[in-house]
Amino acid sequence: MKNNRKKKKTAAKAKSVKLRKKPLKSKNLRAKAKTVSAEQPKNMTFLTIAKNGEYSLGVKTEKGIFDVQAASKLFRKKVPADIHAIIKGGDQGLTALVQTALASKASKSLFLDEAKIECGPCVTNPEKIICLGFNYRKHAQELSSVTATAPVLFSKFNNALSSHNSAIKLPVHVASKFDYEVELVAVIGKTAYKVSEADALSCVFGYCIGNDISARDLQFKTSQFLIGKSLDGFAPIGPYLVTADQIPVPDNLNLECFVNGEQRQAGNTNDMIFSVAATISYVSQYFTLKPGDIIFTGTPDGVISGMPAEKQIWLKSGDSLRCVIEKLGELKFSLV
């Protein structure tokens, strides 16, 4: 009897060990899968589709804007549903889905006419919106500002985000000196803390066009820029978010801003005092940059506040603006 009980006990113990081993194997498989899925998409241009008060993901292709959400349902493939899921989780089969749809005769309805799409901000919910002031040499000169020895940082809040073709309401009840600032915007793709300048660009997911609209009378009302910079809608970005592999050198891009068809700004990012890499490295020494954070990298000369007082005709309701950055397309919006 004792021997039988001993054998049963030994067998039960052996079975217990086997059961404990299975979760370990499963955990290793999950870790491996996570590593694979975290690979960032390459050679892609994203756009946010706004429909019925909700945002979904679009990809620019030669056939039109690829509706990722509709394609996921049609092909029964689970892929990231919004831009933040892509930035944080990687490709996760999206590239393969786009290629499948492009090759399928049954997928014509998945490609939308871009002219008929209502856009949302190309990055919809950043934790941080970081901005640089006086970061172009000629811009600093037109404002008679001393060249900065360190990046001049300020912030905007998410309420300031707006999109391509948006109508931005000017808060004329509190301000009157409204100005434009076309800017290259860098979107962070992975957690960055104390990164070196040499490694900084590897932390970028992609780039887009932005305009740091400013109420100058509020900006300089106190020593803090915030209220003049973070008014509702005062940070239009888009329409596209272009993956970083398509722009390996962000410090040599032409950028322009037009008001009612008249060119007001024309510069190049090579006039930056602090490069994109230097800026990211600097910021990351002080606080952690997270996937989806965006950085407005400064504006070239030609702003209204840099003109002689008698030529300062501030932006007003009815004005339309067009911002162009090489390789990133055009961002358009109007003021009401």
Side-chain angles (χ1 to χ4, degrees):
M1 291 291 288
K2 286 184 178 180
N3 287 338
N4 288 339
R5 283 198 296 270
K6 189 174 183 181
K7 285 179 181 179
K8 288 180 180 180
K9 189 175 181 181
T10 302
K13 186 176 181 182
K15 185 177 180 181
S16 175
V17 170
K18 287 181 180 179
L19 289 172
R20 285 200 301 270
K21 285 183 178 179
K22 286 184 179 179
L24 292 176
K25 184 178 180 182
S26 176
K27 183 179 179 181
N28 289 337
L29 288 174
R30 286 197 300 271
K32 185 177 180 180
K34 186 177 180 180
T35 300
V36 173
S37 67
E39 183 179 350
Q40 296 295 344
K42 303 290 184 184
N43 195 34
M44 274 199 177
T45 298
F46 296 100
L47 177 148
T48 296
I49 301 169
K51 189 175 182 180
N52 299 324
E54 296 183 354
Y55 293 142
S56 62
L57 189 63
V59 178
K60 186 176 177 64
T61 75
E62 65 269 21
K63 289 187 175 182
I65 300 300
F66 179 63
D67 187 336
V68 175
Q69 187 178 66
S72 178
K73 292 178 181 178
L74 178 64
F75 292 105
R76 297 181 180 180
K77 297 287 186 181
K78 187 176 181 180
V79 293
D82 59 57
I83 190 61
H84 286 278
I86 284 285
I87 294 172
K88 295 176 182 178
D91 187 273
Q92 302 176 73
L94 178 60
T95 298
L97 181 62
V98 174
Q99 292 172 347
T100 297
L102 286 170
S104 172
K105 293 180 180 179
S107 62
K108 186 177 180 180
S109 64
L110 301 178
F111 296 93
L112 309 177
D113 181 352
E114 186 172 348
K116 297 179 180 179
I117 290 175
E118 181 182 349
C119 294
C122 60
V123 179
T124 56
N125 192 30
E127 181 184 273
K128 293 183 282 293
I129 302 174
I130 302 163
C131 307
L132 265 71
F134 315 112
N135 194 37
Y136 281 68
R137 293 173 182 85
K138 292 178 183 177
H139 176 54
Q141 290 168 6
E142 74 176 345
L143 297 178
S144 301
S145 176
V146 177
T147 301
T149 57
V152 178
L153 302 179
F154 59 93
S155 62
K156 288 177 178 271
F157 295 134
N158 283 13
N159 67 289
L161 287 177
S162 54
S163 60
H164 177 62
N165 285 333
S166 60
I168 300 169
K169 184 174 178 60
L170 296 176
V172 294
H173 63 294
V174 290
S176 59
K177 296 182 178 181
F178 302 109
D179 208 346
Y180 48 78
E181 293 189 5
V182 62
E183 306 204 12
L184 173 68
V185 177
V187 180
I188 300 300
K190 64 181 181 181
T191 301
Y193 181 60
K194 295 196 292 188
V195 297
S196 67
E197 189 171 333
D199 293 332
L201 291 185
S202 70
C203 299
V204 177
F205 177 86
Y207 300 94
C208 65
I209 304 172
N211 199 300
D212 173 21
I213 305 174
S214 307
R216 301 301 188 189
D217 39 356
L218 298 182
Q219 179 183 351
F220 298 111
K221 186 175 183 179
T222 68
S223 62
Q224 304 299 310
F225 289 0
L226 182 64
I227 59 170
K229 293 288 190 174
S230 202
L231 295 161
D232 291 347
F234 272 38
I237 57 173
Y240 310 122
L241 174 56
V242 178
T243 52
D245 60 291
Q246 299 178 71
I247 306 176
V249 184
D251 303 310
N252 190 25
L253 300 173
N254 293 319
L255 64 171
E256 302 171 280
C257 181
F258 298 81
V259 178
N260 301 325
E262 177 190 357
Q263 187 185 69
R264 297 289 186 88
Q265 290 181 282
N268 189 289
T269 55
N270 61 21
D271 190 43
M272 285 182 178
I273 298 169
F274 302 100
S275 68
V276 175
T279 298
I280 291 171
S281 176
Y282 177 82
V283 172
S284 76
Q285 305 305 311
Y286 297 95
F287 48 82
T288 303
L289 291 169
K290 295 183 180 179
D293 286 347
I294 65 177
I295 301 178
F296 280 72
T297 59
T299 197
D301 59 309
V303 298
I304 299 171
S305 58
M307 299 176 183
E310 64 275 12
K311 294 184 178 181
Q312 291 179 343
I313 300 175
W314 304 101
L315 295 175
K316 63 186 183 306
S317 176
D319 285 343
S320 61
L321 287 88
R322 179 168 68 95
C323 307
V324 183
I325 298 183
E326 185 180 353
K327 299 181 180 180
L328 295 178
E330 297 185 355
L331 167 67
K332 299 178 182 179
F333 58 91
S334 60
L335 306 176
V336 296

